[in-house]
Amino acid sequence: MSRADVIEEMKQRVYEANMELPNLDLVKLTWGNVSEINRELGVIVIKPSGVPYKDMTKDQMVVTDLKGNLVEKDSLKASSDLATHVVLYKNFETVNAVVHTHSTNAVMWAQSGFDLKAYGTTHADTFYGSVPCTRQLTENEVRNDYEENTGNVIIETFLDRKIKPEEVPGVLVSGHGPFTWGETPLKAVENSLILDEVCLMAKETELINQRISSIPSYLLDKHYLRKHGKNAYYGQ
Amino acid sequence: MSRADVIEEMKQRVYEANMELPNLDLVKLTWGNVSEINRELGVIVIKPSGVPYKDMTKDQMVVTDLKGNLVEKDSLKASSDLATHVVLYKNFETVNAVVHTHSTNAVMWAQSGFDLKAYGTTHADTFYGSVPCTRQLTENEVRNDYEENTGNVIIETFLDRKIKPEEVPGVLVSGHGPFTWGETPLKAVENSLILDEVCLMAKETELINQRISSIPSYLLDKHYLRKHGKNAYYGQ
Amino acid sequence: MSRADVIEEMKQRVYEANMELPNLDLVKLTWGNVSEINRELGVIVIKPSGVPYKDMTKDQMVVTDLKGNLVEKDSLKASSDLATHVVLYKNFETVNAVVHTHSTNAVMWAQSGFDLKAYGTTHADTFYGSVPCTRQLTENEVRNDYEENTGNVIIETFLDRKIKPEEVPGVLVSGHGPFTWGETPLKAVENSLILDEVCLMAKETELINQRISSIPSYLLDKHYLRKHGKNAYYGQ
Amino acid sequence: MSRADVIEEMKQRVYEANMELPNLDLVKLTWGNVSEINRELGVIVIKPSGVPYKDMTKDQMVVTDLKGNLVEKDSLKASSDLATHVVLYKNFETVNAVVHTHSTNAVMWAQSGFDLKAYGTTHADTFYGSVPCTRQLTENEVRNDYEENTGNVIIETFLDRKIKPEEVPGVLVSGHGPFTWGETPLKAVENSLILDEVCLMAKETELINQRISSIPSYLLDKHYLRKHGKNAYYGQ
């Protein structure tokens, strides 16, 4: 397939995945964006900046190089969150697609500043342990290269805690909101949906039982590993 | 009616009941499954594993024997939760259909580890007393025959507490989620809907009145018995 | 207009008002009923018992006399809650229509056993003071003539507290759910919608501010009286 | 363009913005209103009083002068909240459109009597600091010129706290509900949507972390200023 054809297909997938965000009630207004990377071709495709979902077309998807520079004539401006996506792609080598939303339940957890613990198997089926909440950015990190530093604090969080991005495909940025990722744009959107749902379930569980703690590690192992990796066997 | 015709009808009912789960907002993605048993014919029909609801057809429904072995050529794989359904059918002899979901409100209660008390008549109209939450499975039970042991801990819970499955057609599996059952697949799905709604109402009631206790047993008796058993007379 | 024509129109209004309950998300399954009375003709029209909303037709509406006895040949059975409606009509002379639902937020308040205080003007625009929660019925009241005694405890509550049913067109029956009323079936349904919404707002307000108290009586007066009675002037 | 043409266009915008309120689930029944001002022409266009959304037409929009007096023959009555809108237009000179709703989450905060703090960037993207809650109106302010005094207490709140209406395009009126504003009717409605969503997120955040505090001022600055004013650059 030609380079142009591959990029056309990426645009189609990124477009469709972006449109799933309002369909799944994960965004209001223009509060979200999806991108995909092709490392061999050296391109990233991402949602354009500020275009309402109802008016968006496949051809408006923005193509950049691996540093986020526009590479097409007459391109729209890329989503301002591109710089965060670029950092994630650079450091998480197995990740092919990234999603950012302001979905209600994931934002409320990100605002709390707390990690999202695994209180049940719905969580464990997708996230192999707590979904971490980053530290707050410093004044300097916010004033200079804010969007890039948002990516950096995510990487720092995963490195410091020795979490593999393949095993925990999402993060909560303190005071801000969720980023998720996956092998394809649709899979990354699916992880946004699951993260939002698990945030809702966790909050309600804490209201019912104020002394709740994470599920035992053997149950976490079972649920995560029956669905992921070489011994996976599970489908509902 | 021929054996083949009976199975065709079971497939149709199981298909329709499965499709009700997303229609009623009881599942996201593929997070649920419905089955039906015919003890005379020695067959169980259940949702196939991992097929998205929007692509699912009646003919994809999976037929097994009473131990859960596939009995049709070219059959899809059965839902991985089949082993749990098999245990329920074996031990709950009056149950003809079983449903498992990850519906939001029932999961949050299951994650809390608490029984769901009867705080009102909406509960009592369907569940004759608390809906029990099982104990947590042990490491050994999770590592070996997990899905079967999920069924076993449900049976243990009902036996230990002397609860009749006809009178409390549902359970919360600790840290996991709900199973419900009924005389038909649609009735079992209806019980999933009611369980989820009653979980939501109970949580909110506890937030409003932190000293709330179950309704008196005479009110529980009245509401349950006016709708079930030989003296039933009620319809809204 | 002939007696038959008047009854046909009542059936049409009661049918349409019943259908509004699922449209407005106030009922699941068959959990609700609406009736209308015509005291001159001596008839009540009410939803039939146990008919699913999607199958219901105008002609299935049930006609009874003022004591709740069926008056049409081949009539379906009336909703079992008819006995409660009859008591309300007998004692609340200005009420022409009654609605009962198990709407989520009104049920959770009814289950708490607490009155619903007026925390804001949304409440005050319709309910002139707290919406009372009845006492719990005694064992004897539940065992004998339960549905009639449900009506009696509502009447007792309004008499004891000197509340006028025109000024507070709804009630919470402890451990059960809401009843509302109005001049027409649609108006009574509207009051069910408002009661449910105000219950939701009140619960959330209590979570945000645990020391919240009712709005001052002069604000309650202003909002209620600018919309009701001879000096009404308000429309949004 | 003729004066008549300008007013026709205002009616169209005000009509469309009013219709967005039920579309966005910000109002039930008739609980909301939108207006627009044209200071040069000396006219305000506002929703008529008490007309259900489903029956409303563009031609029913009501035209008044800057004091709220009707200026068209055969005009419907203006929304009773017009007097509040008039006060806001008179004092907030950069505001071209005003919206009032009883949206669930904004009302629950208004009922709590508390300011809405900025717990995250979703808030900071639109509101440059806390959204203030007014003091309660006095008995005298409620009994006389209530709707006008509702406007006055909003102005007092912004003056006392030195808040610019361009920077915080909304307010919570204690025990009542939200007003928002903007450069156009649709923008003012968008601010109502955001305010309601941010109220929901804030409530949930407080439930998860009872010691939560506002985001640091440098993060508030960054998010607000990257979207507003001369150095704005951001689009999602």
Side-chain angles (χ1 to χ4, degrees):
Chain A
M1 206 160 40
S2 74
R3 175 186 169 95
D5 286 350
V6 172
I7 291 178
E8 281 305 294
E9 286 191 6
M10 290 175 72
K11 284 185 179 181
Q12 183 64 30
R13 281 193 298 269
V14 170
Y15 168 72
E16 286 176 8
N18 270 295
M19 294 307 289
E20 276 298 277
L21 297 180
N23 290 345
L24 293 168
D25 270 337
L26 293 172
V27 303
K28 294 182 185 294
L29 303 167
T30 61
W31 300 351
N33 43 68
V34 183
S35 72
E36 182 180 351
I37 193 170
N38 184 315
R39 289 182 176 81
E40 288 180 31
L41 294 191
V43 294
I44 293 170
V45 176
I46 191 166
K47 177 172 168 285
S49 171
V51 177
Y53 286 100
K54 68 179 171 48
D55 302 330
M56 217 166 64
T57 64
K58 179 200 116 180
D59 293 335
Q60 291 176 324
M61 298 302 107
V62 176
V63 184
T64 77
D65 65 19
L66 297 190
K67 294 189 174 170
N69 302 304
L70 300 185
V71 301
E72 289 188 330
K73 259 200 235 176
D74 305 324
S75 175
L76 291 179
K77 218 177 128 188
S79 163
S80 300
D81 292 316
L82 173 61
T84 311
H85 294 232
V86 166
V87 172
L88 295 181
Y89 286 131
K90 195 173 161 189
N91 289 276
F92 291 168
E93 293 176 8
T94 57
V95 166
N96 296 325
V98 169
V99 176
H100 173 51
T101 76
H102 283 241
S103 72
T104 309
N105 300 296
V107 165
M108 76 193 184
W109 264 100
Q111 290 187 163
S112 80
F114 291 159
D115 292 351
L116 178 74
K117 290 183 191 165
Y119 289 139
T121 62
T122 317
H123 181 119
D125 281 336
T126 299
F127 301 103
Y128 193 25
S130 294
V131 176
C133 188
T134 68
R135 66 169 171 81
Q136 214 164 57
L137 291 178
T138 65
E139 179 160 1
N140 194 41
E141 288 167 333
V142 168
R143 289 202 188 280
N144 304 292
D145 302 315
Y146 171 58
E147 289 82 8
E148 191 179 328
N149 285 326
T150 298
N152 290 337
V153 80
I154 295 171
I155 303 305
E156 174 192 313
T157 302
F158 275 63
L159 284 179
D160 280 3
R161 306 201 196 178
K162 299 182 176 35
I163 303 171
K164 294 180 188 169
E166 303 79 37
E167 294 184 346
V168 178
V171 70
L172 301 167
V173 177
S174 184
H176 186 164
F179 284 81
T180 64
W181 44 83
E183 290 177 33
T184 65
L186 276 182
K187 192 69 193 172
V189 167
E190 191 177 300
N191 289 336
S192 285
L193 176 70
I194 297 170
L195 178 54
D196 194 70
E197 178 72 3
V198 175
C199 283
L200 173 58
M201 288 170 168
K203 181 205 64 167
E204 304 297 338
T205 298
E206 291 189 352
L207 289 178
I208 297 170
N209 182 350
Q210 291 168 26
R211 301 184 179 189
I212 190 70
S213 54
S214 301
I215 54 173
S217 60
Y218 59 83
L219 185 57
L220 180 69
D221 285 352
K222 179 72 187 180
H223 267 263
Y224 186 77
L225 298 173
R226 76 178 181 170
K227 286 192 69 180
H228 302 86
K230 63 180 177 173
N231 295 315
Y233 66 88
Y234 185 80
Q236 275 193 326
Chain B
M1 207 157 42
S2 74
R3 174 186 170 96
D5 286 350
V6 172
I7 291 178
E8 281 305 295
E9 286 191 6
M10 289 175 74
K11 285 186 178 181
Q12 183 64 29
R13 281 193 299 269
V14 169
Y15 168 72
E16 287 177 7
N18 271 295
M19 294 308 288
E20 276 299 276
L21 296 180
N23 291 345
L24 294 169
D25 269 335
L26 293 172
V27 303
K28 295 183 186 294
L29 304 167
T30 61
W31 300 351
N33 44 67
V34 183
S35 73
E36 182 180 352
I37 193 171
N38 184 315
R39 289 182 177 80
E40 289 179 32
L41 294 191
V43 295
I44 293 169
V45 176
I46 191 166
K47 176 171 167 287
S49 171
V51 177
Y53 286 99
K54 68 179 171 49
D55 303 329
M56 216 166 64
T57 64
K58 178 199 117 180
D59 292 335
Q60 292 177 322
M61 297 302 108
V62 176
V63 184
T64 78
D65 65 20
L66 297 189
K67 294 189 176 171
N69 302 304
L70 300 185
V71 301
E72 289 187 331
K73 259 200 237 176
D74 305 323
S75 175
L76 292 179
K77 218 177 127 187
S79 163
S80 301
D81 292 316
L82 173 61
T84 311
H85 294 231
V86 166
V87 173
L88 296 181
Y89 287 130
K90 195 173 160 188
N91 289 276
F92 291 168
E93 292 176 8
T94 58
V95 166
N96 297 325
V98 168
V99 176
H100 173 51
T101 76
H102 284 240
S103 72
T104 309
N105 300 296
V107 166
M108 76 193 183
W109 266 99
Q111 290 188 162
S112 80
F114 291 159
D115 292 352
L116 177 75
K117 290 183 189 166
Y119 289 139
T121 61
T122 317
H123 181 119
D125 281 337
T126 299
F127 301 104
Y128 193 24
S130 294
V131 176
C133 188
T134 68
R135 65 168 171 81
Q136 215 164 57
L137 292 178
T138 64
E139 181 161 0
N140 193 41
E141 288 167 334
V142 168
R143 289 203 188 279
N144 304 292
D145 302 317
Y146 170 58
E147 289 82 7
E148 191 179 329
N149 285 326
T150 299
N152 289 337
V153 79
I154 296 171
I155 303 304
E156 174 192 312
T157 303
F158 275 63
L159 285 178
D160 280 3
R161 307 201 197 178
K162 299 183 176 36
I163 304 170
K164 294 180 189 169
E166 303 79 38
E167 294 185 346
V168 179
V171 70
L172 301 166
V173 177
S174 184
H176 186 163
F179 285 81
T180 64
W181 45 83
E183 290 177 35
T184 65
L186 276 181
K187 191 70 192 171
V189 167
E190 190 177 300
N191 289 336
S192 284
L193 176 69
I194 297 170
L195 178 54
D196 193 70
E197 178 72 3
V198 175
C199 283
L200 173 57
M201 288 170 168
K203 181 205 65 167
E204 303 298 338
T205 298
E206 291 188 352
L207 289 177
I208 298 169
N209 183 349
Q210 291 168 26
R211 301 184 179 190
I212 190 69
S213 55
S214 302
I215 53 173
S217 60
Y218 59 82
L219 184 56
L220 180 69
D221 285 352
K222 179 71 185 181
H223 267 263
Y224 187 77
L225 298 173
R226 76 177 181 171
K227 285 192 71 181
H228 302 85
K230 62 181 178 174
N231 294 316
Y233 66 88
Y234 185 80
Q236 277 194 323
Chain C
M1 207 158 40
S2 75
R3 173 185 170 97
D5 286 350
V6 172
I7 291 178
E8 280 306 294
E9 286 191 5
M10 290 176 73
K11 285 186 179 181
Q12 183 64 30
R13 280 193 299 268
V14 169
Y15 168 71
E16 287 176 7
N18 270 295
M19 294 307 288
E20 276 298 277
L21 296 180
N23 290 345
L24 294 169
D25 269 334
L26 293 172
V27 304
K28 294 182 186 297
L29 303 168
T30 61
W31 299 353
N33 44 68
V34 183
S35 73
E36 182 180 353
I37 193 172
N38 184 315
R39 288 181 177 81
E40 289 180 31
L41 294 191
V43 294
I44 293 170
V45 176
I46 191 165
K47 176 172 167 285
S49 171
V51 177
Y53 286 100
K54 68 179 172 50
D55 303 330
M56 216 166 65
T57 65
K58 178 199 117 180
D59 292 336
Q60 291 177 323
M61 297 302 108
V62 175
V63 184
T64 77
D65 64 21
L66 297 190
K67 295 188 175 169
N69 302 304
L70 300 185
V71 301
E72 288 188 333
K73 259 201 237 175
D74 305 322
S75 175
L76 291 180
K77 218 178 127 188
S79 163
S80 300
D81 292 316
L82 172 62
T84 311
H85 294 231
V86 166
V87 172
L88 296 181
Y89 287 130
K90 194 173 161 189
N91 290 275
F92 292 169
E93 292 176 8
T94 59
V95 166
N96 296 326
V98 169
V99 177
H100 173 50
T101 76
H102 283 241
S103 72
T104 309
N105 300 294
V107 165
M108 76 193 183
W109 265 100
Q111 291 187 162
S112 80
F114 291 160
D115 292 352
L116 178 75
K117 291 183 190 165
Y119 289 138
T121 62
T122 317
H123 181 119
D125 281 337
T126 299
F127 300 103
Y128 194 24
S130 294
V131 175
C133 188
T134 68
R135 65 168 172 80
Q136 214 163 60
L137 292 178
T138 65
E139 180 160 0
N140 194 40
E141 288 167 333
V142 167
R143 289 201 188 281
N144 304 292
D145 303 315
Y146 170 58
E147 289 83 8
E148 190 178 330
N149 284 327
T150 298
N152 290 336
V153 80
I154 295 171
I155 302 305
E156 175 193 311
T157 302
F158 275 63
L159 285 178
D160 279 2
R161 307 201 197 177
K162 299 182 176 34
I163 304 171
K164 294 180 188 170
E166 302 79 38
E167 293 185 347
V168 178
V171 70
L172 301 167
V173 176
S174 185
H176 186 164
F179 284 80
T180 63
W181 44 83
E183 291 177 35
T184 65
L186 276 181
K187 191 73 193 168
V189 167
E190 191 177 300
N191 289 337
S192 285
L193 176 70
I194 297 170
L195 178 55
D196 194 70
E197 178 72 4
V198 175
C199 283
L200 173 58
M201 289 170 167
K203 182 206 63 168
E204 304 297 339
T205 296
E206 291 188 352
L207 289 177
I208 297 170
N209 182 349
Q210 291 168 27
R211 300 184 180 190
I212 190 69
S213 54
S214 301
I215 54 173
S217 61
Y218 58 81
L219 184 58
L220 181 69
D221 285 353
K222 179 71 187 181
H223 267 262
Y224 187 77
L225 298 173
R226 76 178 180 169
K227 285 192 70 180
H228 302 86
K230 63 178 179 178
N231 294 316
Y233 66 89
Y234 185 79
Q236 276 193 324
Chain D
M1 206 159 41
S2 73
R3 173 186 172 95
D5 286 350
V6 172
I7 290 177
E8 280 305 294
E9 285 192 5
M10 290 176 72
K11 284 186 178 179
Q12 183 64 30
R13 280 193 299 269
V14 169
Y15 168 71
E16 286 176 7
N18 271 295
M19 293 307 289
E20 276 299 277
L21 296 180
N23 291 344
L24 293 168
D25 270 335
L26 293 172
V27 303
K28 293 182 186 297
L29 304 167
T30 60
W31 300 352
N33 44 68
V34 182
S35 72
E36 182 181 353
I37 193 171
N38 184 315
R39 289 182 176 80
E40 289 179 30
L41 293 191
V43 294
I44 293 170
V45 176
I46 191 166
K47 177 173 168 285
S49 171
V51 177
Y53 286 99
K54 69 179 171 50
D55 302 331
M56 217 166 65
T57 64
K58 179 200 116 181
D59 293 335
Q60 292 176 324
M61 297 302 107
V62 175
V63 185
T64 77
D65 65 20
L66 297 189
K67 294 188 176 169
N69 302 305
L70 300 185
V71 302
E72 289 189 331
K73 258 199 237 175
D74 305 323
S75 174
L76 291 180
K77 217 178 129 187
S79 162
S80 301
D81 292 316
L82 172 62
T84 310
H85 293 232
V86 166
V87 172
L88 296 182
Y89 286 131
K90 195 173 162 188
N91 290 275
F92 291 168
E93 292 177 8
T94 58
V95 166
N96 296 326
V98 169
V99 176
H100 173 50
T101 76
H102 284 241
S103 72
T104 309
N105 300 296
V107 165
M108 77 193 182
W109 265 101
Q111 290 187 164
S112 80
F114 291 159
D115 292 351
L116 178 74
K117 290 183 190 166
Y119 290 139
T121 62
T122 316
H123 181 119
D125 281 337
T126 299
F127 300 104
Y128 194 23
S130 294
V131 175
C133 188
T134 68
R135 65 169 171 80
Q136 214 164 59
L137 291 178
T138 64
E139 180 160 1
N140 194 42
E141 288 167 334
V142 167
R143 289 201 188 281
N144 304 292
D145 303 316
Y146 170 58
E147 289 83 7
E148 190 179 329
N149 285 326
T150 298
N152 290 336
V153 79
I154 295 172
I155 302 305
E156 174 193 311
T157 302
F158 275 62
L159 285 177
D160 279 2
R161 307 202 197 177
K162 299 182 175 34
I163 304 171
K164 294 179 189 170
E166 302 79 38
E167 293 184 347
V168 178
V171 70
L172 301 167
V173 177
S174 184
H176 187 164
F179 285 80
T180 63
W181 44 83
E183 291 177 34
T184 64
L186 275 181
K187 191 71 192 168
V189 167
E190 190 178 300
N191 289 337
S192 285
L193 176 70
I194 297 170
L195 179 54
D196 194 70
E197 178 71 4
V198 175
C199 284
L200 173 58
M201 289 170 167
K203 181 205 64 168
E204 303 298 339
T205 297
E206 292 189 352
L207 289 178
I208 297 170
N209 182 350
Q210 290 169 25
R211 300 184 180 190
I212 190 70
S213 54
S214 302
I215 54 173
S217 60
Y218 59 81
L219 185 57
L220 181 69
D221 285 353
K222 179 72 187 181
H223 267 262
Y224 186 76
L225 298 174
R226 75 177 182 171
K227 285 192 71 179
H228 303 85
K230 62 180 178 172
N231 295 316
Y233 67 89
Y234 185 80
Q236 274 192 326

